[in-house]
Amino acid sequence: MGTSLESAADEAERLRRCLNDLVSIMALPALWAGREPSQIVSTLLDTLRGMLRLTFVFARLPDPEGGPPTELVRMAEAAGGAAAARQISGSIDSSLGDAPAKWPSSARVVIGDADLSVASARLGIDGEIGIIVAGSHRLNFPDETERLLLDVAANQAAVGLQEARLLSEQTRRANESERQSRLIVDSIPGLVALLSPTGYIEMVNRPLLEYFGQTLEELRQWGTNGTVHPEDLPHVVEVFTRSITSGTPYEIVQRLRREDGIYRWIQNSGFPLRDTKGQIARWCVLLTDIDDRKRAEAALRQAYGHLAEAQRLSKTGSFITDLLADRRDWSEEAFRIFEFEPTTSITLHTIRGLVHPEDLPAYDAAYERAIEGVGFDMAFRIITSAGNLKHLHAVGHVMEEISGRPVFIGAIQDVTESKVAEEALNRVRSELTHVARVTTLSTLTASIAHEVNQPLSGIITNAGTCLRMLDANPPNIDGARETARRTIRDGNRASEVVTRLRALFSKKEFTPEPLDLNEATREVVTLSLSELQRNRMIVQSEFADDLPSISGDRVQLQQVVLNLLRNASDAMVGVHDRPRQLLIRTKREDPDRVRLTVRDAGIGLDRQTMDKLFDAFYTTKSDGMGIGLSISRSIIEKHGGRLWGEPNDGPGATFSFSIPCCARSVADAESAVKTS
Amino acid sequence: MTVRRSLVSIVDDDESVRESLPDLIRQLGFDVEAFASAEAFLASEFVNDTRCLVLDIAMPGMSGTDLQRELASRRETIPIVFITAGGDRTVRRRLLAEGAVECLFKPFSETALLDALNAALRMG
């Protein structure tokens, strides 16, 4: 009875303990909420080891992904390490087989040198979650209560692990998704921030953090920490607040302080991200550093400003033009020069309409050549719609060809002021030249007069004295003879003066050298071209390719050419009813002669006065000295050649000279002068 | 008795003038002294006796007009007849305005010379 009482008390105690243990096990899931599977298993094993006084307790959880299973072990003595787990795992496997699902619920297993009673409990219906193996030295392990506790615990653990797995899967997915978005956001080269619907910065990407060199917490103080340039802050706050309040996107260009402390221009764009119900879930903010662009724009604006200013100052417009398509790209100044409204569509017709009538032939000619792809460099006048006369200088060259059509790039300059100045200068210069010529002549005549008058005076005085001496009573014969002798001497002296003068005039430095008449002529044409063009002459040159070199005085021959060009130009000044054509031509005449002709379309020659043309002091011009042609002829004759003029069949005259190309000696040339 | 004839002094750098002109003036009834330069005349003993000065304008060194001014500054009132080979006729008016009796342009006639000398002597 005592034994039964005793065992009844024991039994009660055993039941009470069992209930406590059950309660403890039932309470476990509350501890497991939100824990990792390994933590769950750990607490489970700890609880079972203590509760069932186990020698060891082992759990094996297969990896859902198919990897090696997770194994944990708790030993009576101490927490089992990985090595203990491996030893127990290996012993169990070798004793019970390698398929845990087929392990018996209880068995005896030798682990190390111990012979143990083991009980297994599957986690999950088919042990798919894992298995727990508990071992004890006790031979009766597990008793009924122990089996119950083990099964209940395994059940609880299975449920707990199931939930944990589910949770961890969700968390993992959520984390993965977060990680992916993060990755995407961070790899955006732009600066991105996500804001709450109220404008609180929730998240920024890595480039943004690095750009500003601030933590997220610091960035949230953007309104007060100087990140926004103080000058921009009021505007930024206003726009941002309005946008957040109204839910409309914003775009601000502002300065923000980079991590190096430098404020840079940033384009700040914000737009709301809405959820399925259309509510604003977040704001997305993109910051773009446009400082370099802004600087480039400013530099470009400045450069353009300078260019425009330079064009205005120099009164030079630039243009790109496709003549055939009549498409033009003109600078502002070009519009200003022509006095076109900037909105005007300019056609070739409108420009040509402004060209001065006298310049139209030259303009058209240049245009015709330009269509062929020949560059141009020309001066012409325009009369603007307001009636202003302008002198323009246009230069253009082919920039490219678009479908076979030349596209010109060029500049057009308003040279009116310099032209007017140049004309004034030319007037002064020609007046000066005239004054100088008159001065020279008067000096010359004075000295000639002095030289000649001196002996003439002597002749008259002596002759008078002589007569008086002869008339005296008695006549002073000796005195008369002496004065007569002096008279003869002075006469000779006068004659010498004349000879000396002639020598002075005819004995110009004559320095023959081999020369290319084409080249010498071209130089003269080049030098005279602007003056000729100023007088609206259309100058054409035809130089023979086969011209032999001649021997002559370059400067003197150039003076002749210049004189002929001047005469031609002077003859055409009064011509208004036809082009002022001036043709200068060289050609090989005989095998050993070259000829140069200058043909004009001027007033022409009168056959009757032709012979006088070459007389000194004969002129058909009101302001001429008439000395040019006579000097020219003497120069040509000195070169062993001849100079002549003849009327054209049409209007105008042609003057020519012809000289031998092979050098003749100066003596020959001079004898030619004397015989002519 | 010897009639003392009026002294005409000639200043001209041209030797032929100094050769020929004195003979003619002597034939016209005057005493004559000829000098190759203004400086030579001023240095001579004849300045006070000269009743008329026949003076070339253009000479090396002191010119005819320089001599005219020098004499004026010395308060010598010798009547001056300028002679010149230059072609500039405008000088005559200026020289007359400055007190010259006459300005003759070479070559000049006997008559013109005589008229000028007589005019000068009337003034002296």
Side-chain angles (χ1 to χ4, degrees):
Chain A
M1 195 63 208
T3 310
S4 74
L5 274 177
E6 201 177 336
S7 62
D10 287 348
E11 182 68 10
E13 174 57 25
R14 197 173 53 83
L15 280 173
R16 194 183 53 80
R17 228 178 43 231
C18 176
L19 277 174
N20 279 344
D21 289 345
L22 273 175
V23 168
S24 301
I25 289 169
M26 299 306 278
L28 280 175
L31 294 175
W32 292 340
R35 297 304 174 100
E36 292 285 308
S38 58
Q39 291 174 306
I40 293 172
V41 174
S42 273
T43 52
L44 176 72
L45 297 188
D46 287 340
T47 306
L48 288 177
R49 187 191 58 184
M51 203 175 274
L52 304 181
R53 288 168 287 121
L54 297 173
T55 307
F56 79 91
V57 59
F58 164 85
R60 173 181 291 169
L61 304 174
D63 182 44
E65 308 291 324
T70 309
E71 293 184 335
L72 288 97
V73 70
R74 291 291 186 277
M75 312 292 288
E77 302 80 30
R86 263 199 307 281
Q87 189 195 9
I88 289 167
S89 165
S91 303
I92 291 170
D93 280 345
S94 57
S95 305
L96 305 179
D98 50 10
K102 292 181 179 161
W103 289 350
S105 59
S106 57
R108 288 197 66 83
V109 172
V110 175
I111 295 171
D113 49 3
D115 190 2
L116 299 174
S117 301
V118 297
S120 65
R122 284 190 275 272
L123 301 177
I125 297 166
D126 296 315
E128 71 275 9
I129 297 171
I131 191 161
I132 304 170
V133 179
S136 169
H137 290 285
R138 284 176 285 121
L139 287 174
N140 65 340
F141 178 80
D143 65 14
E144 203 177 338
T145 310
E146 285 167 333
R147 179 82 246 170
L148 175 74
L149 289 173
L150 198 61
D151 286 345
V152 170
N155 240 339
Q156 292 289 86
V159 172
L161 282 173
Q162 198 90 16
E163 282 176 358
R165 271 222 180 126
L166 221 60
L167 190 69
S168 96
E169 181 63 13
Q170 279 171 0
T171 314
R172 195 185 60 76
R173 282 200 186 136
N175 284 347
E176 178 63 14
S177 156
E178 178 74 20
R179 201 180 62 81
Q180 293 279 0
S181 338
R182 184 85 227 181
L183 194 68
I184 291 167
V185 171
D186 280 347
S187 34
I188 292 174
L191 313 176
V192 183
L194 293 174
L195 277 50
S196 75
T198 57
Y200 177 76
I201 302 177
E202 289 185 334
M203 190 192 121
V204 297
N205 69 348
R206 185 169 304 284
L208 190 141
L209 287 175
E210 286 166 359
Y211 184 89
F212 289 105
Q214 296 183 26
T215 63
L216 179 59
E217 206 46 53
E218 286 166 336
L219 282 171
R220 285 176 175 147
Q221 312 301 318
W222 63 266
T224 52
N225 66 4
T227 303
V228 180
H229 194 284
E231 285 174 18
D232 300 341
L233 189 60
H235 175 69
V236 171
V237 169
E238 187 201 322
V239 172
F240 181 74
T241 310
R242 194 170 54 225
S243 183
I244 294 292
T245 314
S246 63
T248 51
Y250 69 84
E251 189 158 312
I252 316 170
V253 173
Q254 60 176 119
R255 282 160 292 178
L256 288 172
R257 194 178 55 200
R258 201 166 57 177
E259 47 85 23
D260 56 6
I262 292 169
Y263 283 101
R264 287 176 66 85
W265 285 101
I266 302 282
Q267 178 176 304
N268 175 352
S269 318
F271 51 92
L273 304 171
R274 294 175 189 275
D275 63 18
T276 47
K277 288 174 222 145
Q279 296 295 308
I280 294 176
R282 273 175 164 180
W283 281 83
C284 182
V285 171
L286 298 174
L287 303 179
T288 314
D289 185 329
I290 56 168
D291 204 78
D292 294 340
R293 196 177 82 199
K294 200 128 169 122
R295 260 173 230 285
E297 281 171 5
L300 196 63
R301 246 196 321 274
Q302 196 182 27
Y304 184 78
H306 286 168
L307 180 66
E309 182 68 16
Q311 289 209 346
R312 209 159 28 241
L313 283 175
S314 64
K315 297 194 174 172
T316 306
S318 55
F319 59 86
I320 293 172
T321 178
D322 177 343
L323 291 173
L324 289 179
D326 213 14
R327 196 175 53 76
R328 293 178 164 67
D329 190 354
W330 288 45
S331 75
E332 273 177 43
E333 186 57 26
F335 276 89
R336 205 170 293 128
I337 287 171
F338 283 92
E339 296 178 9
F340 288 136
E341 288 296 318
T343 50
T344 320
S345 116
I346 304 172
T347 67
L348 188 63
H349 189 70
T350 47
I351 296 167
R352 192 178 180 278
L354 299 184
V355 176
H356 193 289
E358 284 181 18
D359 294 341
L360 269 180
Y363 179 86
D364 288 343
Y367 177 75
E368 289 302 322
R369 283 196 300 276
I371 286 177
E372 301 295 316
V374 180
F376 51 89
D377 181 343
M378 62 180 309
F380 63 99
R381 291 164 297 172
I382 57 163
I383 301 166
T384 66
S385 54
N388 296 322
L389 176 74
K390 291 188 178 184
H391 293 264
L392 303 185
H393 180 197
V395 183
H397 66 87
V398 178
M399 181 175 66
E400 58 177 339
E401 291 211 346
I402 293 178
S403 42
R405 298 191 313 262
V407 175
F408 283 85
I409 183 165
I412 191 150
Q413 187 172 26
D414 180 351
V415 292
T416 310
E417 279 175 24
S418 64
K419 207 75 190 175
V420 168
E422 188 187 314
E423 277 171 6
L425 189 66
N426 279 340
R427 265 200 307 281
V428 172
R429 191 183 289 146
S430 83
E431 279 164 18
L432 271 177
T433 312
H434 186 70
V435 168
R437 197 164 59 195
V438 168
T439 311
T440 313
L441 273 174
S442 78
T443 314
L444 199 63
T445 45
S447 93
I448 292 171
H450 190 267
E451 290 296 310
V452 176
N453 288 339
Q454 210 69 289
L456 282 182
S457 181
I459 289 168
I460 290 170
T461 307
N462 285 317
T465 312
C466 181
L467 284 177
R468 283 183 178 277
M469 286 176 170
L470 291 175
D471 287 349
N473 192 12
N476 180 353
I477 301 296
D478 287 345
R481 188 177 288 118
E482 172 60 19
T483 51
R485 195 186 51 76
R486 285 190 211 138
T487 307
I488 293 166
R489 188 201 59 194
D490 285 348
N492 282 337
R493 194 173 144 195
S495 166
E496 272 168 31
V497 168
V498 172
T499 309
R500 210 163 62 232
L501 276 175
R502 201 169 57 193
L504 184 74
F505 278 95
S506 63
K507 204 175 175 186
K508 288 230 164 107
E509 287 293 309
F510 182 75
T511 47
E513 52 176 339
L515 64 92
D516 177 348
L517 184 61
N518 282 347
E519 191 192 296
T521 306
R522 209 174 274 121
E523 281 178 11
V524 177
V525 173
T526 308
L527 285 170
S528 321
L529 199 58
S530 88
E531 196 190 338
L532 292 171
Q533 282 177 342
R534 191 167 55 86
N535 292 327
R536 312 291 156 219
M537 302 296 154
I538 299 167
V539 182
Q540 277 180 286
S541 321
E542 288 176 16
F543 294 130
D545 293 333
D546 61 344
L547 213 60
S549 129
I550 58 169
S551 168
D553 185 309
R554 185 185 194 86
V555 173
Q556 289 193 6
L557 286 177
Q558 286 184 326
Q559 277 173 352
V560 172
V561 175
L562 182 65
N563 187 242
L564 295 182
L565 288 178
R566 288 238 171 98
N567 284 347
S569 172
D570 290 347
M572 289 195 283
V573 161
V575 172
H576 297 287
D577 60 342
R578 56 181 181 266
R580 297 175 177 177
Q581 292 274 1
L582 198 165
L583 173 64
I584 179 157
R585 190 188 315 189
T586 58
K587 68 173 192 179
R588 183 167 195 158
E589 207 176 30
D590 297 327
D592 61 346
R593 287 182 88 82
V594 294
R595 180 193 285 205
L596 180 142
T597 58
V598 175
R599 181 190 173 96
D600 65 56
I603 49 175
L605 288 177
D606 181 350
R607 290 248 175 227
Q608 285 157 0
T609 57
M610 285 254 288
D611 295 341
K612 293 190 199 160
L613 271 179
F614 295 94
D615 292 350
F617 306 109
Y618 177 82
T619 179
T620 55
K621 300 174 214 160
S622 53
D623 60 344
M625 283 284 293
I627 208 153
L629 275 177
S630 96
I631 289 175
S632 294
R633 175 175 266 184
S634 73
I635 288 172
I636 293 303
E637 285 174 345
K638 206 178 295 173
H639 284 79
R642 61 192 193 93
L643 169 68
W644 71 98
E646 54 200 339
N648 293 341
D649 289 340
T654 300
F655 282 84
S656 312
F657 67 74
S658 153
I659 48 178
C661 54
C662 302
R664 284 216 273 162
S665 73
V666 176
D668 287 348
E670 280 178 347
S671 74
V673 173
K674 283 179 185 138
T675 53
S676 69
Chain B
M1 84 183 220
T2 308
V3 176
R4 190 182 169 85
R5 307 205 297 181
S6 301
L7 177 63
V8 174
S9 291
I10 300 170
V11 181
D12 196 319
D13 63 314
D14 189 62
E15 196 186 350
S16 72
V17 172
R18 294 200 305 276
E19 269 178 6
S20 57
L21 203 52
D23 281 351
L24 180 59
I25 292 175
R26 229 172 260 124
Q27 288 294 321
L28 292 173
F30 303 93
D31 272 348
V32 178
E33 289 295 335
F35 303 91
S37 71
E39 290 87 344
F41 170 69
L42 287 174
S44 77
E45 54 188 309
F46 298 104
V47 176
N48 286 332
D49 293 340
T50 300
R51 300 275 76 82
C52 175
L53 186 58
V54 174
L55 184 54
D56 187 21
I57 297 176
M59 288 183 293
M62 192 181 236
S63 74
T65 45
D66 289 342
L67 179 56
Q68 181 188 24
R69 267 178 228 118
E70 178 62 26
L71 291 172
S73 74
R74 294 186 185 187
R75 308 205 179 277
E76 295 281 0
T77 54
I78 307 170
I80 297 173
V81 173
F82 279 105
I83 54 172
T84 176
D88 185 4
R89 305 274 149 170
T90 60
V91 295
R92 183 171 182 271
R93 183 193 298 257
R94 203 179 69 233
L95 292 170
L96 297 193
E98 287 180 25
V101 176
E102 187 51 274
C103 177
L104 299 174
F105 293 95
K106 295 177 192 174
F108 43 81
S109 66
E110 277 177 27
T111 322
L113 178 64
L114 188 56
D115 288 350
L117 291 177
N118 285 333
L121 293 176
R122 272 198 302 276
M123 286 185 71

